[in-house]
Amino acid sequence: MAYSQLRAEAERLVNSAIERLKLQYVRQIISRTPSEELGELSSNASFMLSKALGRAPYEIAVEITNNMDRSSFDLIKSAEAHQTGYINFRIDWEKFLARALEAIFSDKKYGIPKARKIKVIVEHTSVNPNKALHIGHVRNVVIGDTVARIMKALGHDVQILNYIDDTGVQVADLVLGFLHLGYSRQAPAGKKLDHYYGDDVYVNVNRAYEKEPSLQEKRKEITRQLEEGYGEGAKIAEEIVHDVLVEQLKTCWRVGAEYDLLNYESQILRQRYWEEVFERLKNAGAVKLARGGKFDGCWVMEGGEEEEEKVLVRSDGTTVYAAKDIPYAAWKLGLVRDRFAYDIFTEQPSGKRLWMTAFDKGRDDHPNFGSADIAITVIGVEQTRLQNFVKKALEYLGKGEREYIHLAYEKVALSKKTARQLGIEGQREFVQMKGRTGIYINADDVFDMLYKKAKEETKRRNSEKDEQWVKQVAEAIALSAIRYEMLKQDIKKIIVFDMDEALNLEGDTGPYLMYSYARAVSVLRKANYTNMQPIKQYDLSDLDQKEKELILCMSRMEEELQNIIDTLAPDSLCRYAHELATSFNAFYERCPIINSEYRERRLMITEAFRRLLAENLDLLGIKAMDAI
RNA sequence: GGGCCCGUGGCCAAGCAUGGAUUAAGGCAUCAGCCUCCGGAGCUGAAGAUCGUGGGUUCAAAUCCCACCGGGCCCGCCA
């Protein structure tokens, strides 16, 4: 809050001077200066005016600065024109510090922007229920979970969905393996069921297709059974989907994600949502029956300017993959009436119930699912074109661009080195993961290795602590490492995953944040810091540069979060949390806290930092532990 | 062929929306320092950059425009 006040004040000072000088209004940007000698904030207004007036920026800056109403300075102490043309402002630090700390301590949710409450659906994970999550899936889970956490912090009503494609060919492949190729349904001792199904059965069934193409026919028949819900195939599928989900969820929980609802594709089909939506699309003129040409007999949707039309219903009457997404999206936004029955799938570690769309009557005491104001779906960037078709179809039904958000993320690939360690030789700089061919690294394995490393480190540093404590801490550290690693990079860029780098717990990592938090807690504990007095009673003079930087950084939280919400860019959240921690560590190194004449003030700053970092860690899904 | 995205030190990467202060953040790796003092998963410093290439716009370009090069993805009556 305090930071936006600062900016607003600087902006106002410049604008009123411009008005007084009868110059034209310009859109200025208030930004931070590159170094403290220049002050803290600067305006580029004179550059903007320079072009219009045909005069040197410096001249204009001087004029503006001379015409400021100095009596209205509040948080700003001084303004001066710099040779380059910038107008630089210095902060009245005592005032600003008092104001900033008051804001932090008076607000339990400091830095969280205020928002009108809406209902938000976030769909993520949605891994085919025939295998274990690999490290690429974790990127999806963590992005989705973090977005959901941010939405919850804003006070929105958030429902987290995991879409279960239980009728697709991937499940059919497993069914075929069990029915026709003699694979056992039991995992070998010591192997997680989802690993066994994915690593062994699924991969080998796909190899078998190459040797025996006739199996394809069998797969087709099984797929039909799954879609229509009959026969032995459907029965086995229901069981294996359940069993795999149980295992997949353990992995998701381990990285800190929980859900509200598992939404089965089979139920969407059986509730005949598509039929309803299809009728409405026909009536709206969105789809038409193609006559002649290569799409003869298909129902197609117009593609737009340079886009080819898209088949939604094949000439044999079956729907394509993309068409299955439309009714689901329509349901999310309340464009079709909710007809699902719901049942409880399980209870999650936090105690929260996990619901599923039920195969039978279900129960009545379920929450109202669907009908959200906004639906955010975390899906790979490669599906952008299809998602745009979904969006387009929704527009015909009354919603679209603004309500249906495809949060597109790039893949996780394996580094050359890590691929080689797995026995995969690639010519390229990185190797794409592929479930079908067995080229991937399982999330559980990565987590286990991180856990092992974290446990060794924790043990070494805390020899007096018991095993139980060490395990708990190591688990939290592994979680922080994996989440931060998956979040810190631009969502649009491929992450080249390297096992050795991932195992590094130093530098720009999750454990660094946890360490900084524990350090602050430790200082406060050692100082016996309990409660603060009114801020007026503190000595706020002689601030060290590092104190100033930390305070300024803390005061920026709301602005940073607003930007993160507007852009749905979790990497910015990592960067801000990291900057907070870095500022604190710099302050810690330079300024004695406990044995200082400014002890009380510095403890208060430390406590403010602790609170803010805790909030940020919470958004990131990282556990703030008092000691690690 | 058409469309979208990416290209910044040895490696990873921020900045690009809204062009300016510069010496282009930060991390990994390398080298040199820092625990009589609050947690060394830390801090300080050194070294390391034609911001893919070439044009253009501008007083000013990593940032805007155009072309090209390299990499990835999408363009199925597959899912």
Side-chain angles (χ1 to χ4, degrees), chain A residues 326-556:
Chain A
I326 297 171
Y328 179 39
W331 171 84
K332 284 180 185 171
L333 292 171
L335 294 167
V336 293
R337 193 178 57 81
D338 181 29
R339 292 198 291 271
F340 291 124
Y342 299 96
D343 210 335
I344 293 171
F345 185 87
T346 187
E347 190 171 292
Q348 301 178 89
S350 71
K352 183 168 145 186
R353 280 176 172 178
L354 175 58
W355 291 83
M356 62 187 283
T357 47
F359 288 76
D360 46 31
K361 284 203 177 62
R363 355 187 336 156
D364 295 330
D365 59 339
H366 62 84
N368 282 319
F369 289 112
S371 299
D373 297 298
I374 286 179
I376 299 171
T377 313
V378 186
I379 312 183
V381 69
E382 70 280 1
Q383 304 235 28
T384 302
R385 186 179 289 249
L386 289 177
Q387 285 296 306
N388 284 339
F389 274 109
V390 172
K391 226 179 268 181
K392 201 160 178 246
L394 292 180
E395 270 161 26
Y396 284 104
L397 304 175
K399 304 233 172 156
E401 195 80 29
R402 205 173 315 155
E403 296 88 1
Y404 189 79
I405 298 162
H406 169 209
L407 190 53
Y409 69 100
E410 261 293 0
K411 296 185 173 50
V412 179
L414 299 175
S415 76
K416 213 175 185 173
K417 203 166 123 213
T418 297
R420 191 170 300 146
Q421 286 161 1
L422 293 173
I424 302 153
E425 282 300 329
Q427 285 82 42
R428 304 271 171 83
E429 283 315 298
F430 55 83
V431 180
Q432 305 262 12
M433 290 193 275
K434 275 203 195 82
R436 206 156 18 98
T437 52
I439 300 174
Y440 53 81
I441 181 161
N442 277 327
D444 291 320
D445 297 336
V446 174
F447 206 109
D448 286 342
M449 286 172 84
L450 274 168
Y451 171 75
K452 197 170 155 242
K453 173 102 187 277
K455 199 173 151 195
E456 280 165 16
E457 282 293 304
T458 309
K459 212 172 206 167
R460 192 168 60 74
R461 291 157 200 265
N462 299 279
S463 48
E464 77 289 356
K465 294 284 206 305
D466 64 58
E467 182 79 3
Q468 193 53 36
W469 185 91
V470 170
K471 279 184 178 168
Q472 211 179 330
V473 168
E475 188 76 16
I477 288 172
L479 176 139
S480 80
I482 207 163
R483 284 187 75 109
Y484 195 87
E485 188 72 16
M486 291 293 120
L487 284 174
K488 77 172 173 183
Q489 183 153 169
D490 188 337
I491 195 167
K492 285 189 301 200
K493 288 188 184 178
I494 293 172
I495 291 178
V496 178
F497 183 84
D498 186 272
M499 198 62 214
D500 296 333
E501 274 178 38
L503 285 175
N504 185 4
L505 308 179
E506 291 166 13
D508 186 13
T509 64
Y512 173 82
L513 300 182
M514 292 184 70
Y515 172 77
S516 306
Y517 182 86
R519 189 183 229 186
V521 170
S522 169
V523 170
L524 293 166
R525 185 177 41 224
K526 213 147 267 183
N528 245 326
Y529 184 86
T530 48
N531 238 331
M532 45 172 269
Q533 296 133 30
I535 283 154
K536 291 183 188 64
Q537 295 180 14
Y538 291 88
D539 178 3
L540 303 179
S541 64
D542 278 325
L543 284 177
D544 186 272
Q545 185 57 31
K546 297 297 176 191
E547 289 180 282
K548 291 179 183 173
E549 280 166 18
L550 176 56
I551 293 153
L552 204 55
C553 182
M554 292 196 288
S555 75
R556 279 182 14 236

Side-chain angles (χ1 to χ4, degrees), chain A residues 64-75:
Chain A
I64 290 175
T65 316
N66 287 341
N67 277 280
M68 280 179 189
D69 177 12
R70 309 226 156 217
S71 65
S72 74
F73 280 19
D74 178 23
L75 291 171

Side-chain angles (χ1 to χ4, degrees), chain A residues 87 121 225 461 562 607:
Chain A
I87 300 164
I121 281 181
Q225 289 183 12
R461 291 157 200 265
Q562 189 58 56
E607 168 64 7

